Amino acid sequence: MHRVLVVANETCPCPAPLEEVHDRAVAHEQHEVRIIAPALNSRVRHYLSDVDGAVAAARGRLEGALEFLRSEGVEAAGSIGDSDPFVTVADTGAVPA
C-alpha cells in the first residue's frame, strides 16, 4: 500500500503539489491519500476560543483539495486538524509523537 499524507496549509489551493500527489497515487495500484487541513488561527483568536473562521477556512482548503483529486480519479479522504501542523500530523499516527 502506497500512502500519501498532505498537509493543506494556507498556500492551498495549490495545483502543482496536488498534481504531484495525483501522479504518485496513480503510479501505484493500491494507494491511500489523506489530506489534513490545519485550522490555522492567530494566537489571540485561539486564546479567545474564536476558531470558527479558522475552521471554515480549513474546510474550504480541504474541500478544494479533495474535489481536485477526486476529479482526477484519485480516491482521497481528509479532515480538519489542529492549528499546529506538527500536532495535526502527529494526530494522524503517520509519525511517532
Side-chain angles (χ1 to χ4, degrees):
M1 173 72 70
H2 184 75
R3 293 187 174 139
V4 179
L5 174 64
V6 177
V7 179
N9 63 11
E10 72 266 15
T11 61
C12 281
C14 37
L18 289 177
E19 288 173 9
E20 179 69 23
V21 170
H22 168 267
D23 294 346
R24 288 177 186 244
V26 298
H28 299 276
E29 198 169 302
Q30 292 184 335
H31 63 272
E32 180 181 307
V33 176
R34 176 125 173 105
I35 299 175
I36 307 297
L40 303 170
N41 212 356
S42 72
R43 289 182 182 171
V44 171
R45 288 185 186 272
H46 182 76
Y47 177 75
L48 296 173
S49 298
D50 182 7
V51 297
D52 293 343
V55 170
R59 183 173 291 112
R61 290 191 309 276
L62 176 62
E63 289 173 357
L66 289 172
E67 181 180 323
F68 173 81
L69 290 171
R70 290 174 179 161
S71 73
E72 296 293 317
V74 175
E75 290 186 37
S79 61
I80 296 170
D82 190 87
S83 62
D84 182 335
F86 293 109
V87 172
T88 294
V89 170
D91 286 349
T92 68
V95 294

